[in-house]
Amino acid sequence: MARPDKRCVLVIVRVLFRHPIHYNEDAANKESPFHRSCAQNASVWKLYMDVAKSFDKYWADVFNNDLDSLLIFAGLFSAILSAFLIEIRKGLQEDLQNVTNTLLTALVQKQNVDNSQLPSTSMFVPSLPTRWINGLWFTSLIFSLVSALGASVAKGWVTQFSTLSGSSWDDASIHCRRLRGIQRWHLGLIIRALPVLLHIAFFLFGSGLVILL
């Protein structure tokens, strides 16, 4: 008898888990070919897990490579952006040193001229370009951190999914449930969307840099 194709076994087993066939646990059914083929330790589950591991390893390697590159770039970009933000954020606050120098100069002038008055202090308002740059760069940092957080969470999901081992019915059932969960939550789409967030962050940073220059 020819050995069944592994891809066919993979599809058939997943269909069985999605639409289980109910049968009675009497002696006749226990001796039936179907019952023996789908027993807890039947060879079909080992074959299913062998095929599933090969597919899982391939996709896990692809996703892990993409996520590792994304995490490295997001970390470096966030560090550089934070250094820029530390400097540009000073423009949102009034320079106390300049205020002190102005008041000291006014006091000296008042001593020389009796009728002179101290200059009135007005409320400090940051310039419009400074506010735009800070807004763009802080938004860029948020997008970068969100992409890094999403990449780390997705990497944990991929690692947990790809480390499943065993060859029994329970292991195959757990694998199918995890696979359906990944499909339900569109993990592949989320991983492909994470670089888009980083691209938006880079675009916002570039826009702020153009305004600064």
Side-chain angles (χ1 to χ4, degrees), residues 39 48 86 113 180:
Y48 168 80
I86 292 174
V113 181
R180 287 201 298 269

Side-chain angles (χ1 to χ4, degrees), residues 5-208:
D5 183 70
K6 290 186 176 182
R7 293 178 182 269
C8 294
V9 173
L10 189 63
V11 173
I12 292 172
V13 173
R14 287 178 179 172
V15 170
L16 287 175
F17 278 116
R18 185 168 297 180
H19 305 287
I21 300 175
H22 301 283
Y23 54 92
N24 298 325
E25 293 290 341
D26 53 17
N29 281 326
K30 287 183 179 180
E31 297 299 328
S32 65
F34 176 80
H35 191 283
R36 290 196 301 269
S37 300
C38 297
Q40 291 285 336
N41 296 320
S43 59
V44 65
W45 309 124
K46 183 179 184 303
L47 181 59
Y48 168 80
M49 291 301 296
D50 291 340
V51 179
K53 288 175 185 177
S54 62
F55 281 98
D56 296 343
K57 185 179 184 303
Y58 171 76
W59 288 112
D61 292 341
V62 172
F63 286 149
N64 280 325
N65 291 334
D66 294 341
L67 292 173
D68 289 339
S69 302
L70 180 65
L71 284 172
I72 293 174
F73 185 80
L76 293 175
F77 178 73
S78 299
I80 295 173
L81 183 56
S82 299
F84 277 89
L85 280 171
I86 292 174
E87 294 299 325
I88 199 64
R89 189 174 180 272
K90 297 177 181 178
L92 297 176
Q93 300 174 350
E94 189 174 9
D95 192 350
L96 298 180
Q97 185 65 37
N98 291 336
V99 175
T100 303
N101 293 336
T102 302
L103 292 176
L104 289 176
T105 303
L107 287 174
V108 172
Q109 293 177 354
K110 182 176 176 57
Q111 290 178 355
N112 296 331
V113 181
D114 295 335
N115 295 329
S116 63
Q117 297 180 354
L118 292 176
S120 59
T121 58
S122 58
M123 182 179 297
F124 173 75
V125 178
S127 62
L128 183 60
T130 301
R131 285 180 287 174
W132 267 101
I133 294 171
N134 277 273
L136 290 172
W137 284 2
F138 272 107
T139 306
S140 175
L141 182 61
I142 291 174
F143 273 98
S144 178
L145 294 178
V146 169
S147 65
L149 177 62
S152 61
V153 173
K155 190 173 178 63
W157 289 347
V158 172
T159 302
Q160 184 180 9
F161 179 73
S162 60
T163 54
L164 184 63
S165 60
S167 59
S168 65
W169 179 89
D170 294 330
D171 300 319
S173 177
I174 293 173
H175 180 272
C176 282
R177 287 198 299 268
R178 290 183 179 179
L179 181 62
R180 287 201 298 269
I182 287 177
Q183 293 173 347
R184 187 183 305 113
W185 287 96
H186 304 286
L187 179 61
L189 181 61
I190 293 175
I191 293 177
R192 288 190 293 269
L194 290 175
V196 177
L197 297 178
L198 203 56
H199 295 162
I200 295 174
F202 189 78
F203 173 77
L204 294 174
F205 172 72
S207 301

